[in-house]
Amino acid sequence: MEKIKVGITQGDINGVGLEVILKTFADAEMFEICTPVLYGSPKVVTYHIKSIESQLNFQLVESALQAKDNCLNLVNCSNDDAVVEFGVPSAAAGKAAFDALERASMELKEGMIDVLVTAPINKSDIQSNQFKFPGHTEYLAQKFPSETGPLMILMNQDLRVALVTTHVPITKVAQTITQTMIESKIKILDKTLRSDFCIEIPRIAVLALNPHAGDMGLIGTEEQTVIKPAIDNMISQGIQCFGPFSADGFFGNGSYRMFHAVLAMYHDQGLIPFKAIAMDNGVNYTAGLDIIRTSPDHGTAYDIAGKGLANENSMRQAIYAAIDVYNARKFDKEIHKNPLRRQFFDRDGKDDKVNLESADDGQ
C-alpha cells in the first residue's frame, strides 16, 4: 500500500519545532508508517541538525510529488536569508514560518500531501499583510472553508477537549458565546467523534461558563439562558450531550473519564486542565474541515530552544493522530458508501420469510 504523505511545516525557526521534528524522525520506524515531507529552509534545517548533533539526513525535493519513502523529504520554501537565533523572536523567523505554512497549504490543497502537521509558531512574529489571524486554526479555516467552520480539539488517548471560543480575550468570552454557537460546536464535535474517531454513539460533556455553574443564577445566568437550552435542543436531535458541569469539579473528580469528549467554553478553561493531564503527549487537532491538520500542543518554548532538551513525543503523537484520522475518515466513507437495504420479517401470519425493502424507499 502507498504510504500516507505527511506534510510538516518547520514552524518558528528560533523555537523547538525543528528540534522535535528531527528527534521524531531519528526513529527509523517512523518511515514505516508514513512518507514525511518537511516544508522549510535547507540552511535552517542543517543548522538545527548540527545544534542537536543529529545523524539524520534529508533529501531536497521540488515538491511533495517527488517525495520518496524511507527518508525525510525537504521542500525549500525560503531564500535562505533567515538567521537562526535560538529563543529570540524576530520578523525574519515569522516570515520563514509563514512561507513554509503557505507552501504546505498549497500542496495540501492540490493533493500532493494527505495530511498536515504544523510545528509551533510565534503568533506575533508571523503577523503580516498576508497573515492576519490569531493562529493556525483561523488561517486554515480561511484556506479550506467548510460548511461548519473549524473546531479546535486538544486530545490524547484518554481525553479530548474541544473549545467553543478559541483565541478570544477573556473580557469578550461571555458576550461572544451564544446558544447557536454552542449548538454548532456540539454538532461538529458529535460528527467528528463519529467520522474521525469511529465512535458510534459519542457522549459529550459540556462545561459551564461561570464558577459553580452559576449557582442557579447567583453568579451568572449564561448556564440557564444559553448553555442549558443549547444542550436540551441537541438532546432533542439525538445527540448524547450532558451538562453544564462546573469545570473545576468536573476535572478534579475525574468525571471527564466518563465521556468521549468535553466541550469547554473558552481557551484556558479547557487547555489548562488538559495540559496538566497530558502535556507531553497532547495533540491539537483542527476538526470541522475537509482537510486534516494536527500539531503538538506546546508552543515555541524559547526558554529551551537550541539546548536539545525539547521532548518530541507530542510531535510524534501529532503525526500518529493525523494518520489515524486519515484512516478513520477513509473507513467511515467506505462503510457508508453502499448502505445495506433494510431487512424485516413478514409477520402477516402466513410465513416468516425475510423480505428486502429497496434502499430507495427513504429508509
Side-chain angles (χ1 to χ4, degrees):
M1 293 179 63
E2 185 175 350
K3 294 179 183 177
I4 296 173
K5 284 186 180 179
V6 178
I8 309 168
T9 59
Q10 66 180 358
D12 189 301
I13 62 175
N14 294 335
V16 299
L18 279 169
E19 178 181 334
V20 295
I21 293 169
L22 295 171
K23 285 182 174 179
T24 296
F25 288 100
D27 180 358
E29 291 185 359
M30 293 298 296
F31 297 111
E32 296 179 9
I33 63 171
C34 68
T35 299
V37 182
L38 175 60
Y39 294 87
S41 160
K43 176 183 174 182
V44 169
V45 173
T46 300
Y47 188 90
H48 277 260
I49 288 175
K50 292 179 179 178
S51 73
I52 62 172
E53 299 180 350
S54 173
Q55 302 301 311
L56 184 66
N57 294 315
F58 60 83
Q59 171 176 285
L60 197 61
V61 294
E62 292 293 326
S63 73
L65 293 177
Q66 297 180 353
K68 296 182 179 180
D69 293 340
N70 304 313
C71 69
L72 179 63
N73 300 274
L74 174 62
V75 176
N76 186 6
C77 308
S78 173
N79 58 12
D80 284 338
D81 60 351
V83 177
V84 178
E85 298 179 272
F86 287 122
V88 180
S90 73
K95 184 179 185 307
F98 171 76
D99 290 343
L101 178 60
E102 187 82 344
R103 180 65 181 273
S105 298
M106 182 271 287
E107 296 204 352
L108 179 62
K109 182 171 290 189
E110 295 185 4
M112 297 184 194
I113 54 176
D114 299 307
V115 299
L116 176 63
V117 179
T118 58
I121 58 173
N122 182 316
K123 295 179 177 64
S124 176
D125 288 350
I126 199 174
Q127 297 298 316
S128 68
N129 291 331
Q130 296 172 295
F131 190 101
K132 296 181 179 179
F133 305 95
H136 280 114
T137 302
E138 294 81 5
Y139 168 86
L140 293 169
Q142 185 193 72
K143 281 285 184 181
F144 303 94
S146 65
E147 291 184 5
T148 63
L151 175 67
M152 182 186 291
I153 301 178
L154 275 291
M155 63 188 192
N156 71 353
Q157 293 182 341
D158 303 313
L159 175 62
R160 302 180 188 91
V161 177
L163 305 178
V164 175
T165 62
T166 53
H167 302 115
V168 175
I170 196 69
T171 55
K172 297 181 180 179
V173 169
Q175 58 187 323
T176 300
I177 292 173
T178 65
Q179 180 177 337
T180 300
M181 178 184 288
I182 294 172
E183 291 178 2
S184 173
K185 300 301 183 182
I186 292 174
K187 289 178 181 178
I188 299 171
L189 184 54
D190 179 73
K191 182 177 183 295
T192 297
L193 292 170
R194 294 172 186 271
S195 64
D196 295 358
F197 298 97
C198 299
I199 299 172
E200 187 174 355
I201 305 177
R203 289 171 52 85
I204 299 170
V206 181
L207 299 184
L209 173 65
N210 298 295
H212 309 298
D215 267 344
M216 300 299 293
L218 290 176
I219 51 176
T221 60
E222 286 82 3
E223 286 72 24
Q224 296 170 308
T225 61
V226 179
I227 302 175
K228 189 63 167 62
I231 294 172
D232 291 342
N233 193 29
M234 291 297 93
I235 292 174
S236 71
Q237 296 183 33
I239 295 178
Q240 296 274 337
C241 58
F242 307 84
F245 299 102
S246 180
D248 56 349
F250 180 83
F251 286 105
N253 62 24
S255 294
Y256 64 88
R257 297 187 181 95
M258 301 170 59
F259 300 90
H260 296 108
V262 181
L263 183 65
M265 292 296 113
Y266 58 93
H267 187 279
D268 283 11
Q269 183 188 52
L271 268 59
I272 288 175
F274 177 84
K275 291 188 177 184
I277 295 168
M279 184 64 185
D280 289 337
N281 62 3
V283 175
N284 184 341
Y285 172 47
T286 304
L289 304 182
D290 293 333
I291 56 100
I292 297 169
R293 174 260 173 169
T294 63
S295 73
D297 74 340
H298 58 74
T300 55
Y302 283 149
D303 57 324
I304 60 171
K307 299 178 181 179
L309 302 176
N311 187 328
E312 74 276 14
N313 193 41
S314 186
M315 172 60 75
R316 182 181 290 110
Q317 296 301 324
I319 294 170
Y320 289 160
I323 294 171
D324 288 344
V325 171
Y326 179 88
N327 288 326
R329 286 190 181 183
K330 186 176 180 181
F331 175 75
D332 184 69
K333 289 179 180 178
E334 185 66 25
I335 63 174
H336 290 100
K337 183 169 60 176
N338 294 307
L340 293 174
R341 292 177 295 170
R342 188 168 64 122
Q343 299 182 9
F344 66 94
F345 284 93
D346 185 349
R347 297 300 187 187
D348 60 0
K350 297 180 181 179
D351 57 57
D352 288 337
K353 181 175 64 177
V354 175
N355 290 309
L356 296 178
E357 216 175 71
S358 170
D360 295 329
D361 65 357
Q363 300 297 325

